[in-house]
Amino acid sequence: MTTTQTHTLAVPGVDLVYDVRGPLPPSGGHPVLLMIGQPMTAEGFTALAPHFTDRTVVTYDPRGLGRSVRKDGRIDHTPQQQAADLHLLIEALGAGPVDVFASSGGAVTALELVATYPHDVVTLVAHEPPINAVLPDASAAERARAGFYEAYQAKGTGAGMAAFIAMTSWQGEFTDAYFAQPTPDPAMFGMSTDDDGTRDDPLLSQNSWAITDYQPDAGLLTAAPTRIVIAVGEESAGTYTARTALGMAAVLGQQPVVFPSHHGGFLGGEFGYAGKPEEFAARLREVLDAG
């Protein structure tokens, strides 16, 4: 079993906590494999990382999430700030450039990392980045996002999460039929209707809107030496993040690579969102080795 070592990197405004599985510098001829999410923290990769014992795998908690405590007084989560943090982390590892597997909001951060620091990454596998700008119905997607935010503000986490699930499971563009639906009941998803009064959830508040508002720069991304692979889950077809993956791939002039399972396909049951981590890891290995 590979030993996991936890470290803390002091960067401006935050102490970044990260975990290293394997030796530094890496052995075996492979680059370090950095796995990132947002708002998911390092614990989201506990089922995926053990499948890469031949690589040094690094995971981390993004600024202001999990163990990475902020000192800058801010509550927003932007891909630009997180990319700057990752650049410093890669420098601190002393083993760059790295390979990156990035999920959801982490995939948006990783795209910004490549655009801003193009020599930090060898291969980026960006799995279902949620970027409204690449959708034909971008304005409607923003309206749908506002809908789950308003539900959260009005009635708390259960109501907000129920509306979020309704948005992210909707098939196709956000039409009048979507907006005509009644507000979903949290009980339908086995969630409580109790309101604890907090309104700072990184997923349901406006704190992470900079992620879905991201404007990818196709010129910078295609000019970078990084090999960029946009990934989409086979079970995600037609949903919001599958459509954003297709849209982002089109921006880069490519087709997305299909991975097993869904948006959380690498999860092993954490967060009640089980995927197929073994199959997912095998596909990820194929894609990385193809580079």
Side-chain angles (χ1 to χ4, degrees):
M1 180 179 293
T2 303
T3 301
T4 300
Q5 296 185 329
T6 299
H7 305 270
T8 300
L9 176 65
V11 302
V14 66
D15 288 335
L16 285 181
V17 179
Y18 64 99
D19 304 308
V20 179
R21 296 171 172 84
L24 283 174
S27 60
H30 293 297
V32 166
L33 175 55
L34 179 60
M35 297 180 176
I36 62 174
Q38 205 285 332
M40 181 176 287
T41 58
E43 65 180 343
F45 300 102
T46 55
L48 182 62
H51 291 285
F52 292 88
T53 55
D54 59 328
R55 285 177 173 259
T56 296
V57 177
V58 176
T59 56
Y60 93 125
D61 290 357
R63 174 180 294 246
L65 298 171
R67 302 162 296 172
S68 293
V69 179
R70 297 183 82 142
K71 300 177 180 179
D72 57 7
R74 299 180 62 164
I75 59 173
D76 58 329
H77 306 285
T78 72
Q80 293 79 13
Q81 181 64 75
Q82 292 184 5
D85 288 344
L86 284 173
H87 174 65
L88 295 176
L89 174 56
I90 292 167
E91 282 190 335
L93 294 174
V98 302
D99 285 340
V100 178
F101 169 70
S103 167
S104 194
V108 182
T109 294
L111 289 167
E112 175 63 15
L113 175 66
V114 170
T116 309
Y117 306 99
H119 298 287
D120 279 3
V121 182
V122 180
T123 295
L124 163 62
V125 180
H127 186 248
E128 300 194 5
I131 301 172
N132 288 336
V134 302
L135 294 176
D137 57 329
S139 295
E142 292 173 3
R143 180 182 171 193
R145 178 185 65 180
F148 73 72
Y149 166 73
E150 290 164 4
Y152 175 54
Q153 290 297 309
K155 296 184 178 180
T157 301
M161 185 58 70
F164 174 80
I165 293 171
M167 174 191 173
T168 55
S169 60
W170 179 259
Q171 288 284 314
E173 296 188 13
F174 296 108
T175 60
D176 290 343
Y178 172 81
F179 295 107
Q181 296 179 109
T183 301
D185 182 354
M188 294 170 51
F189 305 101
M191 294 182 294
S192 172
T193 58
D194 293 340
D195 184 352
D196 66 4
T198 61
R199 294 295 185 273
D200 59 355
D201 185 279
L203 183 65
L204 302 176
S205 69
Q206 293 182 336
N207 296 353
S208 299
W209 277 22
I211 299 290
T212 47
D213 284 338
Y214 184 67
Q215 299 284 331
D217 189 317
L220 290 177
L221 291 169
T222 54
T226 304
R227 170 179 169 246
I228 301 174
V229 177
I230 304 299
V232 63
E234 63 182 349
E235 298 173 21
S236 300
T239 64
Y240 167 69
T241 53
R243 295 194 303 117
T244 57
L246 267 65
M248 188 63 231
V251 166
L252 298 178
Q254 61 178 252
Q255 292 292 321
V257 174
V258 177
F259 271 63
S261 197
H262 44 60
H263 189 65
F266 52 91
L267 296 173
E270 314 90 304
F271 318 109
Y273 201 48
K276 300 175 180 177
E278 185 172 356
E279 295 175 33
F280 197 100
R283 185 63 168 137
L284 178 57
R285 183 181 297 278
E286 289 176 3
V287 172
L288 292 173
D289 287 351

